[in-house]
Amino acid sequence: MNIPKWLVIALIVLIIACLIITSWALFFRTPANTPLTPDYAPVEKEENAENIEGDDDTKLEADEGGGAVGLTFSDKITIDLSDKKAALYFANPGKSLQDMVLQIVIQDEIIVQTGTINPGKQVRQVDLLDGAEKRLAEGIYEGKFVVLYYDVETGERAMVSTDLLVTITVQK
């Protein structure tokens, strides 16, 4: 069997091109649905936030230009893929001096990002980001809350954030 030399070279080039494109898609491409962390607090307040019953409005003390926060949360989250919602508990007590934005991260991918959670507000249920349900399978994941802090007056993001380890159960 006599295969032309140009055909062999063309096939080798095609295979190398396919390997390069596949490597880029798997390792270097940023997922399209991953939101960026805002430098200023989102204008929209978290739609699922509700007042914390019996919360005390006594504020924490902090140096001028500094911030202080209190957090209350549960380290167990349940995600229902059929309604595209996460059931959780996260509260920004009234004593906090900062607004917060909450992200839920699984395997370095943000699957939830809330609107602004003001002091004295809590959330028990949040919506998944568009398409996040397609990237998850039923099971138990180790993930984290990433809490971003924002000045209540200017909306400017604080230099610090907090990572809190959580266990996430995904079900249909």
Side-chain angles (χ1 to χ4, degrees):
M1 186 168 180
N2 198 4
I3 300 174
K5 199 177 214 179
W6 67 267
L7 183 59
V8 173
I9 293 171
L11 288 174
I12 290 173
V13 169
L14 181 63
I15 290 170
I16 291 172
C18 289
L19 289 172
I20 290 170
I21 291 170
T22 302
S23 296
W24 171 80
L26 289 174
F27 302 111
F28 300 108
R29 185 178 61 157
T30 302
N33 292 353
T34 301
L36 299 175
T37 301
D39 293 324
Y40 289 86
V43 174
E44 60 278 346
K45 306 294 182 207
E46 173 55 39
E47 63 185 31
N48 296 306
E50 56 192 38
N51 290 330
I52 300 172
E53 296 277 331
D55 190 33
D56 183 4
D57 283 345
T58 305
K59 295 292 185 186
L60 295 170
E61 292 184 28
D63 293 335
E64 188 174 332
V69 296
L71 298 174
T72 306
F73 70 99
S74 171
D75 65 351
K76 305 283 188 244
I77 300 170
T78 302
I79 293 177
D80 187 331
L81 296 175
S82 62
D83 68 2
K84 303 176 188 176
K85 295 190 181 295
L88 55 97
Y89 181 75
F90 182 86
N92 182 8
K95 64 184 176 180
S96 293
L97 302 177
Q98 303 278 301
D99 288 335
M100 298 178 189
V101 170
L102 179 66
Q103 296 175 334
I104 298 175
V105 179
I106 297 176
Q107 298 172 1
D108 294 326
E109 189 164 337
I110 301 169
I111 59 165
V112 168
Q113 181 166 299
T114 68
T116 303
I117 303 170
N118 303 110
K121 298 288 186 177
Q122 64 186 1
V123 290
R124 296 180 184 273
Q125 179 175 293
V126 293
D127 299 323
L128 299 179
L129 290 173
D130 289 339
E133 76 283 355
K134 295 174 186 167
R135 297 186 305 267
L136 296 171
E138 287 184 277
I140 298 174
Y141 297 83
E142 293 300 318
K144 63 183 173 180
F145 280 144
V146 176
V147 186
L148 308 169
Y149 304 105
Y150 294 88
D151 186 279
V152 293
E153 292 179 17
T154 66
E156 187 175 1
R157 184 168 171 222
M159 294 177 64
V160 296
S161 62
T162 301
D163 290 2
L164 305 165
L165 298 179
V166 294
T167 301
I168 303 166
T169 302
V170 176
Q171 58 193 25
K172 289 190 177 188

